[in-house]
Amino acid sequence: MTDLQSRRAEILEGVRAFQIHRESTGSAFRPGVDPVHYAGRVFDGDEVVNLVDASLDFWLTAGRYAEEFEAGLAEFLGVEEALLVNSGSSANLVALTALTSPRLRDRRLRPGDEVVTVAAGFPTTVNPIIQNRAVPVFIDVQLGTYVPSIESIEAAVGPSTRAVMIAHTLGVPFPVSEVRELCDARGLWLIEDNCDALGSSYRDRLTGTYGDFATCSFYPAHHITMGEGGAVVTNSEELARIARSVRDWGRDCYCAGGENNTCGKRFSQQFGTLPHGYDHKYVYSHVGYNLKVTDMQAAIGVAQLGKLPGFVAARKANHAALHAGLSPYTDRVVLHEATADSDPSWFGYVVTVRPNAGFTRADVVAALEAAKIETRNLFCGNLLRHPAYEGVEHRVVGALDASDLITTNTFFVGVYPGITRPMLDHVLDAFASFLSRH
Amino acid sequence: MDRVERHSTDVATLHLAWRERRPRFRPGQFVHVAIDAYDPSEHWPESRVFSIASAPSDPHGMRLTIGRQGDFTSRLLDEVRPGRTLWCKGPYGDFEVHAADREAPVALVAGGTGITPFCAFMEEALLRPETTAGPVRLYYGARTADLLLYAPLAERCAAELPRFSAELFAEEDVLPPFVTRGRLDIRRIADDAAGHPMTRFYLSGPPVMIEAFAGYLREMRGIPAAQVLVDAWE
């Protein structure tokens, strides 16, 4: 071991000791005093050691940890290619933009092409469609699962439809196997927004493996985190190469940061009307972005990825406990349900207050928040009711009744692995206390 | 490195076992190999590229055939002993050899050590014959028969794969039975493919040979550029 290596080992040992000490100073949960967060990062010395290790490398941009994370995520999902980006929203942007690539010739998405999506979800599932001058076609979701039925997706496909881009909202798989068959039959691209659903499965196959692309998010609220981060996954080498270009400024060259001429043809190719041999590092085949991560982020992700199976199990157990505890109240609230043939890796526990419940969402949320239980809306509710989407070209197929009800009556609480049994009991007690009075 | 297979004083095949995860690659792709240890806080050390000669689905590791060309390859041939750790990164390259299309014949043209990108293809075809749907004809030439390092592999493919044939060339007077006296002749290779306009030509070998052969196919025979694939290197 060199002097530098032994000093690094010494520092990392100290970092781990620091984290162990920090964990030992925590106190027991105090109901009504300590918050029950809707989500949060769950970590130990592994993440902190990796973060410091990457910092000591001082490589800064994507490096060895990014490479390790991409390989590990691809292996977890059983896909060929995984590309790290700096957020789940960026992943959606990269995936949709990649489908507009001229490399796809007549299969590419063009301005005016329609993309089927849902009205009630997260805005950045839809934004890339608009940003690429395609036309979103909004459909409703189903109360309870908060994802659309295959019938509603099929009904939305028209002569200009070229793609389907839908999220497995809050962990619940939409009927992705049937959607895959529909897309194959109608020649449509499929993007699975898997940001809320890492570890979910549909018909015994992981979500994120059905789409031409799927996306992941590693924001702290998600199943694993690296602070800011996301990924695009695909089984197509061609799509992966396009996505990498879109992520990396739009360049044609695939050398990683710090690399030169890995193709051996850096100064000897012809591109467009550029002079022959124009430096391949600065040849652009797409109108791209820079959406890469740093290696410090990826280092945290590597440690988190090893914990993912345990995290998924904890989310399922916490969701099941809440579901059992809330089941007496179905006359007043709609409980959170899985779709048929699915096994969700739940993001949260979603509750919709029935219109005739005798109380409002604001009432129950106020009671929970007063008990220090964090709640969140189901993101934006009906997206079309937000100012940003006024005047945006779109099509709506069917009524959006559920989306509107979600806007006014739906919220969720946490099931993340940091939630303990005493916290779950406190959440259920708070619900019971409120519902006994209403 | 597990072991070294010496072909001559200037050519050897390195048998490598993966210390960490095994990379996915396609026949025809290459890796960068560094001898000096890679420190992640520094840039990648001095390295050279080598085509992967083993099959992507070979469970035993990776093989690289090294010819002596300068100081770096001399270090690989003379200094590196079994048990040593080498650093590899990749795979790279878009010279991906495949014969998945039943209707599109493939002509593999290899000059000397230019055979290595085709070795991964041939090894894979033997391990997984279903990956080779279209007819494949290998043209493999070297100055002397002993430089046709992968002649046994070519012979085995020709014997075991119904849609694979091979012609080997060397310039000596006395030759083994499977080798024809002469040189690679791109005119004849193009003639062989004349009735098959979908034929894809994969060219690998010395730069002068590749340039001349590719130019002939494109300019003299009107083969579309997309069907002439070259393992070019600056």
Short mmCIF file of all heavy atoms in Angstrom, two decimals, chain B residues 159-219:
data_model
loop_
_atom_site.label_atom_id
_atom_site.label_comp_id
_atom_site.label_asym_id
_atom_site.label_seq_id
_atom_site.Cartn_x
_atom_site.Cartn_y
_atom_site.Cartn_z
N ALA B 159 -15.67 -26.45 -40.53
CA ALA B 159 -16.10 -27.84 -40.38
C ALA B 159 -17.42 -27.97 -39.63
O ALA B 159 -18.23 -28.83 -39.93
CB ALA B 159 -15.01 -28.62 -39.64
N GLU B 160 -17.62 -27.09 -38.65
CA GLU B 160 -18.76 -27.28 -37.75
C GLU B 160 -19.97 -26.41 -38.07
O GLU B 160 -21.09 -26.74 -37.65
CB GLU B 160 -18.33 -27.00 -36.29
CG GLU B 160 -17.33 -28.01 -35.79
CD GLU B 160 -16.96 -27.77 -34.33
OE1 GLU B 160 -17.73 -27.11 -33.60
OE2 GLU B 160 -15.88 -28.25 -33.93
N LEU B 161 -19.75 -25.30 -38.77
CA LEU B 161 -20.88 -24.38 -39.01
C LEU B 161 -21.32 -24.51 -40.46
O LEU B 161 -20.52 -24.24 -41.38
CB LEU B 161 -20.46 -22.93 -38.70
CG LEU B 161 -20.01 -22.68 -37.27
CD1 LEU B 161 -19.40 -21.28 -37.13
CD2 LEU B 161 -21.18 -22.82 -36.30
N PRO B 162 -22.56 -24.90 -40.70
CA PRO B 162 -22.98 -25.19 -42.07
C PRO B 162 -22.94 -23.97 -43.00
O PRO B 162 -22.80 -24.13 -44.21
CB PRO B 162 -24.42 -25.70 -41.90
CG PRO B 162 -24.84 -25.29 -40.53
CD PRO B 162 -23.60 -25.17 -39.71
N ARG B 163 -23.07 -22.80 -42.47
CA ARG B 163 -23.11 -21.61 -43.34
C ARG B 163 -21.82 -20.80 -43.26
O ARG B 163 -21.82 -19.61 -43.54
CB ARG B 163 -24.33 -20.75 -42.98
CG ARG B 163 -25.65 -21.46 -43.31
CD ARG B 163 -26.84 -20.71 -42.80
NE ARG B 163 -27.14 -19.51 -43.57
CZ ARG B 163 -27.78 -19.47 -44.72
NH1 ARG B 163 -28.17 -20.60 -45.29
NH2 ARG B 163 -28.04 -18.33 -45.34
N PHE B 164 -20.74 -21.45 -42.86
CA PHE B 164 -19.45 -20.76 -42.74
C PHE B 164 -18.44 -21.45 -43.64
O PHE B 164 -18.30 -22.67 -43.64
CB PHE B 164 -18.96 -20.84 -41.28
CG PHE B 164 -17.73 -20.01 -41.00
CD1 PHE B 164 -17.83 -18.76 -40.39
CD2 PHE B 164 -16.46 -20.48 -41.35
CE1 PHE B 164 -16.69 -18.00 -40.12
CE2 PHE B 164 -15.32 -19.71 -41.11
CZ PHE B 164 -15.44 -18.48 -40.49
N SER B 165 -17.73 -20.65 -44.43
CA SER B 165 -16.64 -21.20 -45.24
C SER B 165 -15.43 -20.29 -45.09
O SER B 165 -15.56 -19.13 -44.72
CB SER B 165 -17.06 -21.32 -46.71
OG SER B 165 -17.43 -20.05 -47.19
N ALA B 166 -14.26 -20.83 -45.39
CA ALA B 166 -13.04 -20.05 -45.19
C ALA B 166 -12.03 -20.37 -46.28
O ALA B 166 -11.94 -21.50 -46.75
CB ALA B 166 -12.45 -20.35 -43.82
N GLU B 167 -11.30 -19.33 -46.66
CA GLU B 167 -10.15 -19.50 -47.56
C GLU B 167 -8.96 -18.84 -46.91
O GLU B 167 -9.04 -17.65 -46.53
CB GLU B 167 -10.41 -18.83 -48.90
CG GLU B 167 -11.10 -19.71 -49.92
CD GLU B 167 -11.03 -19.07 -51.29
OE1 GLU B 167 -11.95 -18.29 -51.61
OE2 GLU B 167 -10.06 -19.34 -52.01
N LEU B 168 -7.87 -19.58 -46.79
CA LEU B 168 -6.67 -19.05 -46.15
C LEU B 168 -5.55 -18.93 -47.19
O LEU B 168 -5.42 -19.80 -48.05
CB LEU B 168 -6.24 -19.95 -44.99
CG LEU B 168 -6.96 -19.76 -43.66
CD1 LEU B 168 -8.46 -19.94 -43.76
CD2 LEU B 168 -6.36 -20.69 -42.60
N PHE B 169 -4.78 -17.87 -47.08
CA PHE B 169 -3.74 -17.60 -48.07
C PHE B 169 -2.40 -17.31 -47.38
O PHE B 169 -2.37 -16.63 -46.35
CB PHE B 169 -4.09 -16.37 -48.92
CG PHE B 169 -5.38 -16.50 -49.66
CD1 PHE B 169 -6.57 -16.03 -49.10
CD2 PHE B 169 -5.42 -17.10 -50.92
CE1 PHE B 169 -7.77 -16.14 -49.78
CE2 PHE B 169 -6.62 -17.22 -51.60
CZ PHE B 169 -7.80 -16.74 -51.04
N ALA B 170 -1.32 -17.85 -47.99
CA ALA B 170 0.03 -17.47 -47.58
C ALA B 170 0.90 -17.49 -48.83
O ALA B 170 0.50 -18.06 -49.85
CB ALA B 170 0.56 -18.41 -46.51
N GLU B 171 2.11 -16.88 -48.72
CA GLU B 171 2.89 -16.67 -49.94
C GLU B 171 4.05 -17.64 -50.09
O GLU B 171 4.86 -17.51 -51.00
CB GLU B 171 3.39 -15.22 -49.97
CG GLU B 171 2.24 -14.22 -50.01
CD GLU B 171 2.71 -12.80 -49.83
OE1 GLU B 171 3.78 -12.46 -50.37
OE2 GLU B 171 2.00 -12.03 -49.14
N GLU B 172 4.15 -18.62 -49.19
CA GLU B 172 5.27 -19.57 -49.29
C GLU B 172 4.98 -20.65 -50.35
O GLU B 172 3.84 -20.82 -50.78
CB GLU B 172 5.46 -20.28 -47.94
CG GLU B 172 5.83 -19.37 -46.82
CD GLU B 172 5.44 -19.98 -45.49
OE1 GLU B 172 4.23 -20.22 -45.27
OE2 GLU B 172 6.35 -20.22 -44.68
N ASP B 173 6.05 -21.38 -50.71
CA ASP B 173 5.89 -22.44 -51.70
C ASP B 173 5.24 -23.68 -51.10
O ASP B 173 4.39 -24.31 -51.71
CB ASP B 173 7.25 -22.82 -52.29
CG ASP B 173 7.79 -21.69 -53.18
OD1 ASP B 173 6.94 -20.97 -53.75
OD2 ASP B 173 9.01 -21.51 -53.24
N VAL B 174 5.67 -24.02 -49.89
CA VAL B 174 5.14 -25.23 -49.26
C VAL B 174 4.15 -24.81 -48.18
O VAL B 174 4.50 -24.06 -47.27
CB VAL B 174 6.28 -26.07 -48.63
CG1 VAL B 174 5.71 -27.35 -48.02
CG2 VAL B 174 7.33 -26.38 -49.69
N LEU B 175 2.95 -25.33 -48.29
CA LEU B 175 1.89 -24.86 -47.39
C LEU B 175 1.08 -26.03 -46.85
O LEU B 175 0.98 -27.08 -47.49
CB LEU B 175 0.95 -23.92 -48.16
CG LEU B 175 1.55 -22.58 -48.56
CD1 LEU B 175 0.68 -21.91 -49.62
CD2 LEU B 175 1.72 -21.67 -47.36
N PRO B 176 0.48 -25.85 -45.68
CA PRO B 176 -0.42 -26.88 -45.16
C PRO B 176 -1.62 -27.03 -46.09
O PRO B 176 -1.93 -26.10 -46.86
CB PRO B 176 -0.86 -26.34 -43.80
CG PRO B 176 0.02 -25.17 -43.50
CD PRO B 176 0.58 -24.69 -44.79
N PRO B 177 -2.34 -28.16 -46.01
CA PRO B 177 -3.41 -28.44 -46.98
C PRO B 177 -4.53 -27.40 -47.00
O PRO B 177 -5.14 -27.16 -48.03
CB PRO B 177 -3.94 -29.80 -46.54
CG PRO B 177 -3.23 -30.18 -45.31
CD PRO B 177 -2.10 -29.25 -45.08
N PHE B 178 -4.79 -26.78 -45.89
CA PHE B 178 -5.94 -25.89 -45.81
C PHE B 178 -5.62 -24.49 -46.34
O PHE B 178 -6.48 -23.65 -46.47
CB PHE B 178 -6.37 -25.81 -44.34
CG PHE B 178 -7.77 -25.32 -44.13
CD1 PHE B 178 -8.86 -26.09 -44.53
CD2 PHE B 178 -8.01 -24.08 -43.56
CE1 PHE B 178 -10.15 -25.64 -44.34
CE2 PHE B 178 -9.30 -23.62 -43.37
CZ PHE B 178 -10.38 -24.41 -43.77
N VAL B 179 -4.35 -24.25 -46.71
CA VAL B 179 -3.91 -22.89 -47.08
C VAL B 179 -3.58 -22.85 -48.56
O VAL B 179 -2.90 -23.72 -49.09
CB VAL B 179 -2.69 -22.47 -46.24
CG1 VAL B 179 -2.24 -21.06 -46.62
CG2 VAL B 179 -3.00 -22.56 -44.74
N THR B 180 -4.07 -21.81 -49.25
CA THR B 180 -3.81 -21.63 -50.67
C THR B 180 -2.64 -20.68 -50.86
O THR B 180 -2.50 -19.71 -50.12
CB THR B 180 -5.06 -21.01 -51.35
OG1 THR B 180 -6.18 -21.83 -51.04
CG2 THR B 180 -4.89 -20.89 -52.84
N ARG B 181 -1.82 -20.95 -51.87
CA ARG B 181 -0.69 -20.06 -52.14
C ARG B 181 -1.20 -18.80 -52.84
O ARG B 181 -1.96 -18.86 -53.81
CB ARG B 181 0.33 -20.77 -53.03
CG ARG B 181 1.56 -19.95 -53.26
CD ARG B 181 2.74 -20.83 -53.70
NE ARG B 181 3.93 -20.03 -53.87
CZ ARG B 181 4.23 -19.39 -55.01
NH1 ARG B 181 3.45 -19.50 -56.07
NH2 ARG B 181 5.33 -18.67 -55.08
N GLY B 182 -0.83 -17.67 -52.28
CA GLY B 182 -1.25 -16.41 -52.89
C GLY B 182 -1.55 -15.36 -51.85
O GLY B 182 -1.22 -15.52 -50.67
N ARG B 183 -2.15 -14.27 -52.31
CA ARG B 183 -2.46 -13.15 -51.42
C ARG B 183 -3.95 -12.88 -51.48
O ARG B 183 -4.64 -13.33 -52.39
CB ARG B 183 -1.72 -11.89 -51.87
CG ARG B 183 -0.27 -12.07 -52.07
CD ARG B 183 0.36 -10.84 -52.70
NE ARG B 183 0.95 -9.97 -51.69
CZ ARG B 183 1.52 -8.82 -51.96
NH1 ARG B 183 1.55 -8.35 -53.21
NH2 ARG B 183 2.06 -8.10 -51.01
N LEU B 184 -4.43 -12.12 -50.49
CA LEU B 184 -5.82 -11.69 -50.53
C LEU B 184 -6.05 -10.87 -51.80
O LEU B 184 -5.28 -9.95 -52.08
CB LEU B 184 -6.14 -10.83 -49.30
CG LEU B 184 -6.17 -11.55 -47.95
CD1 LEU B 184 -6.26 -10.53 -46.82
CD2 LEU B 184 -7.31 -12.54 -47.88
N ASP B 185 -7.06 -11.22 -52.55
CA ASP B 185 -7.34 -10.53 -53.82
C ASP B 185 -8.75 -9.95 -53.75
O ASP B 185 -9.75 -10.68 -53.83
CB ASP B 185 -7.22 -11.54 -54.97
CG ASP B 185 -7.49 -10.89 -56.33
OD1 ASP B 185 -7.92 -9.72 -56.35
OD2 ASP B 185 -7.29 -11.58 -57.35
N ILE B 186 -8.84 -8.66 -53.58
CA ILE B 186 -10.15 -8.03 -53.36
C ILE B 186 -11.03 -8.14 -54.61
O ILE B 186 -12.26 -8.20 -54.49
CB ILE B 186 -9.99 -6.56 -52.91
CG1 ILE B 186 -11.32 -6.01 -52.36
CG2 ILE B 186 -9.45 -5.69 -54.04
CD1 ILE B 186 -11.85 -6.71 -51.16
N ARG B 187 -10.41 -8.23 -55.78
CA ARG B 187 -11.24 -8.38 -57.00
C ARG B 187 -11.99 -9.71 -56.95
O ARG B 187 -13.18 -9.79 -57.23
CB ARG B 187 -10.35 -8.32 -58.24
CG ARG B 187 -9.85 -6.91 -58.52
CD ARG B 187 -8.71 -6.87 -59.52
NE ARG B 187 -8.09 -5.56 -59.55
CZ ARG B 187 -7.24 -5.11 -58.63
NH1 ARG B 187 -6.87 -5.88 -57.61
NH2 ARG B 187 -6.74 -3.89 -58.72
N ARG B 188 -11.25 -10.74 -56.57
CA ARG B 188 -11.87 -12.08 -56.51
C ARG B 188 -12.92 -12.16 -55.40
O ARG B 188 -13.98 -12.77 -55.56
CB ARG B 188 -10.79 -13.14 -56.28
CG ARG B 188 -10.89 -14.28 -57.26
CD ARG B 188 -10.45 -15.58 -56.64
NE ARG B 188 -11.38 -16.04 -55.63
CZ ARG B 188 -11.03 -16.77 -54.57
NH1 ARG B 188 -9.78 -17.10 -54.38
NH2 ARG B 188 -11.92 -17.16 -53.70
N ILE B 189 -12.59 -11.50 -54.30
CA ILE B 189 -13.55 -11.49 -53.18
C ILE B 189 -14.84 -10.79 -53.63
O ILE B 189 -15.95 -11.27 -53.36
CB ILE B 189 -12.92 -10.77 -51.95
CG1 ILE B 189 -11.75 -11.60 -51.41
CG2 ILE B 189 -13.97 -10.52 -50.87
CD1 ILE B 189 -10.88 -10.89 -50.38
N ALA B 190 -14.68 -9.69 -54.34
CA ALA B 190 -15.87 -8.97 -54.84
C ALA B 190 -16.60 -9.82 -55.87
O ALA B 190 -17.85 -9.84 -55.90
CB ALA B 190 -15.46 -7.63 -55.45
N ASP B 191 -15.86 -10.54 -56.71
CA ASP B 191 -16.50 -11.42 -57.70
C ASP B 191 -17.34 -12.49 -57.01
O ASP B 191 -18.45 -12.82 -57.44
CB ASP B 191 -15.44 -12.10 -58.58
CG ASP B 191 -14.80 -11.13 -59.56
OD1 ASP B 191 -15.37 -10.03 -59.75
OD2 ASP B 191 -13.72 -11.46 -60.10
N ASP B 192 -16.79 -13.05 -55.94
CA ASP B 192 -17.51 -14.11 -55.21
C ASP B 192 -18.87 -13.61 -54.73
O ASP B 192 -19.83 -14.38 -54.63
CB ASP B 192 -16.71 -14.56 -53.98
CG ASP B 192 -15.51 -15.42 -54.37
OD1 ASP B 192 -15.41 -15.77 -55.55
OD2 ASP B 192 -14.68 -15.71 -53.48
N ALA B 193 -18.91 -12.31 -54.40
CA ALA B 193 -20.14 -11.75 -53.83
C ALA B 193 -21.03 -11.12 -54.90
O ALA B 193 -22.07 -10.55 -54.58
CB ALA B 193 -19.79 -10.71 -52.77
N ALA B 194 -20.63 -11.25 -56.15
CA ALA B 194 -21.30 -10.49 -57.21
C ALA B 194 -22.80 -10.76 -57.30
O ALA B 194 -23.58 -9.86 -57.57
CB ALA B 194 -20.63 -10.78 -58.55
N GLY B 195 -23.20 -11.98 -57.06
CA GLY B 195 -24.63 -12.30 -57.16
C GLY B 195 -25.41 -11.96 -55.91
O GLY B 195 -26.61 -12.25 -55.83
N HIS B 196 -24.76 -11.35 -54.94
CA HIS B 196 -25.41 -11.11 -53.64
C HIS B 196 -25.24 -9.64 -53.25
O HIS B 196 -24.33 -9.29 -52.49
CB HIS B 196 -24.80 -12.02 -52.57
CG HIS B 196 -24.79 -13.47 -52.96
ND1 HIS B 196 -25.92 -14.26 -52.89
CD2 HIS B 196 -23.81 -14.26 -53.47
CE1 HIS B 196 -25.64 -15.48 -53.33
NE2 HIS B 196 -24.36 -15.50 -53.69
N PRO B 197 -26.11 -8.79 -53.78
CA PRO B 197 -25.91 -7.35 -53.57
C PRO B 197 -26.02 -6.89 -52.12
O PRO B 197 -25.60 -5.79 -51.80
CB PRO B 197 -27.03 -6.71 -54.42
CG PRO B 197 -28.04 -7.79 -54.62
CD PRO B 197 -27.29 -9.07 -54.61
N MET B 198 -26.58 -7.74 -51.24
CA MET B 198 -26.72 -7.35 -49.83
C MET B 198 -25.46 -7.68 -49.02
O MET B 198 -25.41 -7.44 -47.81
CB MET B 198 -27.91 -8.07 -49.20
CG MET B 198 -29.24 -7.77 -49.83
SD MET B 198 -29.77 -6.11 -49.42
CE MET B 198 -30.26 -6.37 -47.73
N THR B 199 -24.44 -8.25 -49.64
CA THR B 199 -23.24 -8.69 -48.90
C THR B 199 -22.61 -7.52 -48.15
O THR B 199 -22.42 -6.44 -48.69
CB THR B 199 -22.20 -9.30 -49.86
OG1 THR B 199 -22.81 -10.41 -50.53
CG2 THR B 199 -20.96 -9.76 -49.12
N ARG B 200 -22.28 -7.79 -46.88
CA ARG B 200 -21.52 -6.81 -46.08
C ARG B 200 -20.07 -7.28 -46.02
O ARG B 200 -19.80 -8.45 -45.73
CB ARG B 200 -22.07 -6.69 -44.67
CG ARG B 200 -23.34 -5.87 -44.55
CD ARG B 200 -23.61 -5.47 -43.10
NE ARG B 200 -23.41 -6.55 -42.16
CZ ARG B 200 -24.29 -7.52 -41.94
NH1 ARG B 200 -25.43 -7.53 -42.60
NH2 ARG B 200 -24.03 -8.47 -41.07
N PHE B 201 -19.15 -6.35 -46.29
CA PHE B 201 -17.73 -6.66 -46.27
C PHE B 201 -17.11 -6.06 -45.00
O PHE B 201 -17.21 -4.86 -44.78
CB PHE B 201 -17.04 -6.06 -47.50
CG PHE B 201 -17.53 -6.63 -48.80
CD1 PHE B 201 -18.66 -6.10 -49.43
CD2 PHE B 201 -16.87 -7.69 -49.41
CE1 PHE B 201 -19.11 -6.62 -50.63
CE2 PHE B 201 -17.32 -8.21 -50.62
CZ PHE B 201 -18.45 -7.68 -51.23
N TYR B 202 -16.50 -6.92 -44.21
CA TYR B 202 -15.77 -6.45 -43.03
C TYR B 202 -14.28 -6.56 -43.35
O TYR B 202 -13.80 -7.66 -43.66
CB TYR B 202 -16.09 -7.31 -41.82
CG TYR B 202 -17.50 -7.16 -41.29
CD1 TYR B 202 -18.54 -7.95 -41.77
CD2 TYR B 202 -17.78 -6.24 -40.29
CE1 TYR B 202 -19.82 -7.83 -41.26
CE2 TYR B 202 -19.07 -6.10 -39.79
CZ TYR B 202 -20.08 -6.90 -40.27
OH TYR B 202 -21.35 -6.77 -39.78
N LEU B 203 -13.58 -5.42 -43.26
CA LEU B 203 -12.16 -5.40 -43.63
C LEU B 203 -11.31 -5.09 -42.40
O LEU B 203 -11.53 -4.07 -41.73
CB LEU B 203 -11.91 -4.33 -44.69
CG LEU B 203 -12.85 -4.33 -45.91
CD1 LEU B 203 -12.50 -3.18 -46.85
CD2 LEU B 203 -12.76 -5.67 -46.65
N SER B 204 -10.32 -5.93 -42.13
CA SER B 204 -9.46 -5.70 -40.96
C SER B 204 -8.05 -6.14 -41.30
O SER B 204 -7.83 -7.24 -41.81
CB SER B 204 -10.00 -6.51 -39.77
OG SER B 204 -9.13 -6.40 -38.67
N GLY B 205 -7.09 -5.28 -41.00
CA GLY B 205 -5.71 -5.62 -41.29
C GLY B 205 -4.88 -4.36 -41.38
O GLY B 205 -5.25 -3.31 -40.84
N PRO B 206 -3.73 -4.42 -42.09
CA PRO B 206 -2.88 -3.24 -42.21
C PRO B 206 -3.65 -2.07 -42.85
O PRO B 206 -4.45 -2.30 -43.77
CB PRO B 206 -1.74 -3.71 -43.11
CG PRO B 206 -1.77 -5.20 -43.03
CD PRO B 206 -3.19 -5.58 -42.78
N PRO B 207 -3.41 -0.84 -42.39
CA PRO B 207 -4.15 0.31 -42.93
C PRO B 207 -4.09 0.44 -44.44
O PRO B 207 -5.08 0.78 -45.08
CB PRO B 207 -3.48 1.51 -42.24
CG PRO B 207 -2.91 0.96 -40.98
CD PRO B 207 -2.53 -0.45 -41.29
N VAL B 208 -2.94 0.14 -45.03
CA VAL B 208 -2.80 0.27 -46.49
C VAL B 208 -3.74 -0.70 -47.18
O VAL B 208 -4.41 -0.37 -48.17
CB VAL B 208 -1.33 0.00 -46.91
CG1 VAL B 208 -1.19 0.02 -48.42
CG2 VAL B 208 -0.39 1.01 -46.27
N MET B 209 -3.81 -1.92 -46.64
CA MET B 209 -4.70 -2.93 -47.23
C MET B 209 -6.16 -2.50 -47.11
O MET B 209 -6.93 -2.55 -48.09
CB MET B 209 -4.50 -4.28 -46.50
CG MET B 209 -5.37 -5.39 -47.03
SD MET B 209 -5.63 -6.74 -45.84
CE MET B 209 -7.20 -6.25 -45.12
N ILE B 210 -6.53 -2.03 -45.92
CA ILE B 210 -7.92 -1.65 -45.68
C ILE B 210 -8.32 -0.51 -46.64
O ILE B 210 -9.38 -0.55 -47.26
CB ILE B 210 -8.12 -1.19 -44.22
CG1 ILE B 210 -8.04 -2.39 -43.28
CG2 ILE B 210 -9.44 -0.47 -44.05
CD1 ILE B 210 -8.19 -2.03 -41.82
N GLU B 211 -7.43 0.47 -46.73
CA GLU B 211 -7.75 1.64 -47.57
C GLU B 211 -7.92 1.22 -49.03
O GLU B 211 -8.88 1.62 -49.70
CB GLU B 211 -6.62 2.67 -47.43
CG GLU B 211 -7.03 4.05 -47.90
CD GLU B 211 -5.92 5.06 -47.70
OE1 GLU B 211 -5.05 4.85 -46.82
OE2 GLU B 211 -5.90 6.06 -48.44
N ALA B 212 -7.01 0.39 -49.50
CA ALA B 212 -7.07 -0.04 -50.90
C ALA B 212 -8.31 -0.89 -51.16
O ALA B 212 -9.04 -0.69 -52.15
CB ALA B 212 -5.80 -0.82 -51.25
N PHE B 213 -8.59 -1.82 -50.27
CA PHE B 213 -9.72 -2.73 -50.46
C PHE B 213 -11.05 -1.97 -50.37
O PHE B 213 -11.96 -2.17 -51.19
CB PHE B 213 -9.70 -3.85 -49.40
CG PHE B 213 -8.70 -4.94 -49.66
CD1 PHE B 213 -7.65 -4.76 -50.57
CD2 PHE B 213 -8.78 -6.16 -49.00
CE1 PHE B 213 -6.73 -5.76 -50.80
CE2 PHE B 213 -7.86 -7.18 -49.25
CZ PHE B 213 -6.83 -6.97 -50.14
N ALA B 214 -11.15 -1.10 -49.36
CA ALA B 214 -12.41 -0.35 -49.20
C ALA B 214 -12.64 0.56 -50.39
O ALA B 214 -13.76 0.65 -50.92
CB ALA B 214 -12.37 0.47 -47.90
N GLY B 215 -11.58 1.22 -50.85
CA GLY B 215 -11.69 2.10 -52.01
C GLY B 215 -12.14 1.33 -53.23
O GLY B 215 -13.02 1.78 -53.98
N TYR B 216 -11.57 0.16 -53.43
CA TYR B 216 -11.94 -0.65 -54.60
C TYR B 216 -13.42 -1.04 -54.54
O TYR B 216 -14.15 -0.90 -55.53
CB TYR B 216 -11.06 -1.91 -54.66
CG TYR B 216 -11.45 -2.84 -55.77
CD1 TYR B 216 -11.05 -2.59 -57.09
CD2 TYR B 216 -12.26 -3.95 -55.52
CE1 TYR B 216 -11.45 -3.44 -58.12
CE2 TYR B 216 -12.66 -4.79 -56.54
CZ TYR B 216 -12.25 -4.53 -57.85
OH TYR B 216 -12.66 -5.36 -58.86
N LEU B 217 -13.85 -1.53 -53.38
CA LEU B 217 -15.25 -1.99 -53.26
C LEU B 217 -16.23 -0.85 -53.50
O LEU B 217 -17.23 -1.00 -54.19
CB LEU B 217 -15.49 -2.61 -51.88
CG LEU B 217 -14.77 -3.94 -51.62
CD1 LEU B 217 -14.90 -4.34 -50.15
CD2 LEU B 217 -15.32 -5.06 -52.51
N ARG B 218 -15.92 0.31 -52.92
CA ARG B 218 -16.86 1.43 -53.03
C ARG B 218 -16.81 2.06 -54.42
O ARG B 218 -17.85 2.32 -55.03
CB ARG B 218 -16.51 2.50 -51.99
CG ARG B 218 -16.83 2.09 -50.56
CD ARG B 218 -16.26 3.13 -49.59
NE ARG B 218 -16.33 2.67 -48.22
CZ ARG B 218 -15.45 3.00 -47.27
NH1 ARG B 218 -14.42 3.79 -47.56
NH2 ARG B 218 -15.59 2.54 -46.04
N GLU B 219 -15.59 2.31 -54.88
CA GLU B 219 -15.47 3.10 -56.11
C GLU B 219 -15.54 2.26 -57.37
O GLU B 219 -16.18 2.65 -58.35
CB GLU B 219 -14.17 3.90 -56.07
CG GLU B 219 -14.25 5.05 -55.05
CD GLU B 219 -12.89 5.42 -54.48
OE1 GLU B 219 -11.90 5.25 -55.20
OE2 GLU B 219 -12.84 5.87 -53.31
#
